[in-house]
Amino acid sequence: MNTWEARMKETVERELGFQVELVHEGLARVLVPKMDLYLREDKVYEPAWAPVFYNPRMRFNRDIAILFARAYSAHWKSNGKEREPVIVEPLAGTGVRAVRYALEAGAQVVANDIDSSAVKLIELNARINNVSDRLQVFQLDANELLSGLKRKSVYPDIVDIDPFGSPAPYLDAAIQSLGRRGVLALTATDTAPLTGTHLRALRRRYDVEPARTAWEKEQAVRILVGYVIRRAASYGYGTRILLAYYADYYVRVYVELLKGAKRADESLNTLGYGGYCPGCGYTGYISKYTTRCPYCGHELQRIGPIYTGPLCDKEMLDHLLREAHKSEWLAEHERVISFLEAYREECEIEKPYYRIDKICSILRRNMPKINQIVNKLKAHGHKAVRSTYDPRAVKTTAKHSEFLKILSEL
Ligand SMILES: C[S@@+](CC[C@H](N)C(=O)[O-])C[C@H]1O[C@@H](n2cnc3c(N)ncnc32)[C@H](O)[C@@H]1O
């Protein structure tokens, strides 16, 4: 820490009344609450206890957000011209993400938080990183900020919603803040409802017929994407799913919205229902009216409407990978590259994953090695990958009957 940073630290601690420390993340140096002071009994840092929220476990999430902003602004602008992306972060915490967007993606950023200490930290962190001229800071309710953006002539390229829990309460205002085209980047940490552990909350929050499948993490992603598609359509936007994934304990989606009734109708056509059969492990998409397993006739777990299309855009993944290879400063560079490489292949398979441990328990047999299953499926001419969603999961294009046959041969 240089003398100037040490002076800033002292000023913050005096003004805010809590201790801070300087952390490095990506190219940014940011002051955050001193993490050692907020440890649980098991000595693990609990970010929710800190006076301003900073979670080092979200570095991977922020790394991908930076790459996305770089890739999107460089290659995906409709006018074909590269220009500084405008990014709005209505729930900014310490401002680490906002500062990184400004520093690492050359963005013009609007950062906001309802909490006064957070706002103070965002302003100081912008100064420490010399990006105050790229960062406008507000202290408003997130929805108030979003609904006031047009009046301020701010038309975001990307709105990044990274809340406590669900992004659903901010979705309508975020959609309405966009111009003809823009991206919603959403994090959801309310995985208990989304994965089907809390069925009533799932129904209330995301307006779906709730269920718990064996592909619960993919279900979580497909519910959130499906919900975004439906909300966007009601405002006359079609959607392009650029990247949607599950990591650690959250869902993250990047969806491009494009104005147009026809586009909106087409996007709605990508919705459907997912099915899981506890009798034979059947996994797939079904019609709204299917109640019985098409394979064994057992009663199905049915969930929907959910998104049934590809969970990434291959061209976008290529851009992200290219940017990732150029960005060695990323906080979790190796993890980012290996995830993007694996996910690029996985996205080609739209059918939900099989949880091999669950299906083997249904079939009352020992679990073969996951790689053995993948190789055998490939040898029979099917696409197959180990899934990034779960170490016990396999994604394949094989039909259920074929999958069971191959499994039984191992
Ligand atoms: C999960 S943290 C944000 C973390 C941040 N995006 C990052 O990457 O480090 C959520 C933030 O939302 C703020 N917040 C909660 N409710 C809000 C609201 N209604 N309007 C604006 N900010 C809010 C909290 O003060 C908190 O700082």
Side-chain angles (χ1 to χ4, degrees), residues 187-392:
T187 309
T189 56
D190 58 334
T191 50
L194 283 168
T195 57
T197 306
H198 296 159
L199 294 179
R200 285 201 300 269
L202 171 56
R203 184 177 184 189
R204 276 196 309 275
R205 205 167 286 165
Y206 295 100
D207 188 22
V208 290
E209 180 184 329
R212 179 160 208 188
T213 65
W215 35 280
E216 72 261 45
K217 292 179 181 169
E218 188 167 345
Q219 135 176 355
V221 175
R222 292 187 178 278
I223 290 168
L224 181 59
V225 174
Y227 187 64
V228 175
I229 290 173
R230 287 183 288 146
R231 297 309 310 139
S234 73
Y235 292 102
Y237 284 96
T239 38
R240 223 161 50 184
I241 313 311
L242 298 177
L243 175 64
Y245 66 94
Y246 192 108
D248 302 326
Y249 53 90
Y250 62 86
V251 173
R252 178 78 170 165
V253 305
Y254 295 85
V255 182
E256 186 179 42
L257 273 62
L258 296 116
K259 213 42 175 176
K262 188 161 169 272
R263 285 196 185 108
D265 291 341
E266 283 165 6
S267 301
L268 288 173
N269 289 339
T270 63
L271 300 178
Y273 280 70
Y276 170 66
C277 176
C280 71
Y282 170 85
T283 278
Y285 300 116
I286 51 173
S287 95
K288 187 177 180 174
Y289 306 103
T290 312
T291 55
R292 297 263 156 204
C293 173
Y295 184 77
C296 76
H298 193 284
E299 197 177 337
L300 275 179
Q301 296 284 341
R302 187 180 56 185
I303 183 148
I306 59 169
Y307 173 63
T308 62
L311 289 171
C312 71
D313 177 292
K314 273 194 110 170
E315 216 183 312
M316 180 42 113
L317 257 275
D318 288 341
H319 288 315
L320 288 173
L321 266 165
R322 268 201 297 278
E323 287 298 330
H325 283 292
K326 286 192 271 177
S327 311
E328 276 174 20
W329 70 81
L330 291 174
E332 301 198 5
H333 186 243
E334 272 175 36
R335 181 180 173 197
V336 166
I337 297 215
S338 66
F339 167 75
L340 292 175
E341 280 171 351
Y343 208 54
R344 188 180 183 283
E345 202 184 344
E346 181 167 355
C347 284
E348 286 182 13
I349 303 168
E350 290 166 27
K351 196 167 95 150
Y353 62 76
Y354 281 104
R355 267 275 299 274
I356 303 301
D357 56 330
K358 291 214 166 160
I359 200 154
C360 286
S361 138
I362 291 172
L363 301 175
R364 293 171 193 275
R365 53 154 299 168
N366 290 335
M367 196 171 134
K369 291 213 166 69
I370 302 283
N371 285 344
Q372 251 185 320
I373 304 173
V374 169
N375 291 341
K376 183 113 182 165
L377 283 160
K378 283 182 171 165
H380 279 73
H382 305 291
K383 280 188 187 164
V385 290
R386 282 193 87 122
S387 174
T388 56
Y389 284 82
D390 193 304
R392 299 156 298 186

Side-chain angles (χ1 to χ4, degrees), residues 18-21 33-40 45 49-50:
F18 57 83
Q19 288 185 51
V20 292
E21 63 181 305
K34 194 165 166 46
M35 288 180 270
D36 280 358
L37 300 178
Y38 309 99
L39 301 183
R40 296 192 309 234
Y45 165 60
W49 292 354

